[in-house]
Amino acid sequence: RMNADAELKRLIAEYRMLSTANVSDGLDRLGIKGCPHGIGPLWDACTKIVGPAATLKLVPVGQAEESPVLGTLEAVKLGHPGDVLVIDQAGRMDVNSFGGVAGFTTRHYGLVGCVIDGVTRDIDEFKQLNLPVYGRGFIQQSIRNRCACAGYAIEVQLGGVPVRPGDLIMADENGICVIPKGKMGEVLTFAQLFKSIEDKVIEAVRSGVDPVLAHDRVRYDMMTAAGYKA
């Protein structure tokens, strides 16, 4: 367990040095569907987050019995320090998914942020908490009696991309990446490779190389194709 924890911390530190654009290239190279669209930071200074998923599923009223408020708190309690709370509200734009009290509890339990397939309120409180929250937008109304909790610590989705508890979630100003738990090392290796190739292209252009030639040299268009070698 100790070795697994240390390895996870190392991987997270390495991922934090990349962008979701780099990681998306790594996912492309391995043919992994891990890039939900339309979910982003909910304010300009919202910081990058990387951590294992702690999951929650919200559904319309009548489709489940549990209170979304209590379900959210249960999901947070089941998470671990360093986790990212992932809320699947199936992209609904008319019902809140999270909020200030839930945000405080999330921060209090050591989770590092929240990613929502939906909207949320209390952006001002998240800023004060320094709790990064990503979603599809914002809303002012309460979550109370407007949806229900269909489960936590279960497989959910972000924009059609499956998320299982423990999958790695990465979010920055470019968007979201979901890296399957068993593929973290492999995706990282390719993401780092592609970033290093792009850095070389920029350096070549800076030193006076024709930009078309600089791209051709590394076969830039083929970079994420199987069998690619720089």
Side-chain angles (χ1 to χ4, degrees), residues 140-222:
Q140 69 287 76
Q141 286 181 307
S142 169
I143 197 172
R144 300 176 194 95
N145 306 310
R146 289 196 167 95
C147 62
C149 172
Y152 30 81
I154 59 169
E155 182 175 324
V156 298
Q157 291 197 343
L158 285 175
V161 173
V163 182
R164 298 165 190 86
D167 284 351
L168 196 66
I169 304 296
M170 181 174 181
D172 66 12
E173 58 201 332
N174 298 296
I176 314 298
C177 287
V178 180
I179 304 103
K181 193 173 182 179
K183 298 287 186 180
M184 292 181 202
E186 214 175 341
V187 171
L188 177 66
T189 298
F190 280 116
Q192 289 173 326
L193 170 66
F194 299 145
K195 181 183 187 304
S196 73
I197 293 167
E198 290 190 337
D199 288 347
K200 280 178 195 161
V201 171
I202 289 168
E203 200 44 55
V205 174
R206 181 182 283 124
S207 69
V209 175
D210 179 279
V212 173
L213 180 60
H215 281 73
D216 276 349
R217 272 184 191 164
V218 298
R219 295 165 57 235
Y220 189 84
D221 287 335
M222 297 303 295

Side-chain angles (χ1 to χ4, degrees), residues 24-169:
S24 168
D25 290 347
L27 290 164
D28 278 350
R29 171 61 180 77
L30 292 164
I32 297 169
K33 183 184 176 187
C35 298
H37 299 155
I39 301 172
L42 293 180
W43 63 93
D44 282 347
C46 186
T47 53
K48 181 188 295 185
I49 46 176
V50 185
T55 61
L56 169 68
K57 171 76 176 159
L58 299 178
V59 293
V61 171
Q63 289 189 14
E65 297 301 314
E66 187 168 4
S67 150
V69 175
L70 301 183
T72 300
L73 300 176
E74 293 289 357
V76 170
K77 282 163 55 184
L78 281 171
H80 302 94
D83 282 1
V84 174
L85 182 64
V86 172
I87 303 177
D88 176 358
Q89 172 106 272
R92 280 191 78 173
M93 302 295 285
D94 62 332
V95 175
N96 181 32
S97 307
F98 198 46
V101 176
F104 175 82
T105 308
T106 299
R107 171 57 89 201
H108 185 70
Y109 273 77
L111 281 71
V112 296
C114 181
V115 175
I116 304 165
D117 192 356
V119 294
T120 188
R121 70 176 188 173
D122 299 329
I123 305 294
D124 53 337
E125 295 182 44
F126 304 143
K127 288 180 181 177
Q128 288 165 10
L129 287 166
N130 193 24
L131 180 74
V133 179
Y134 291 72
R136 293 192 181 274
F138 40 81
I139 196 168
Q140 69 287 76
Q141 286 181 307
S142 169
I143 197 172
R144 300 176 194 95
N145 306 310
R146 289 196 167 95
C147 62
C149 172
Y152 30 81
I154 59 169
E155 182 175 324
V156 298
Q157 291 197 343
L158 285 175
V161 173
V163 182
R164 298 165 190 86
D167 284 351
L168 196 66
I169 304 296

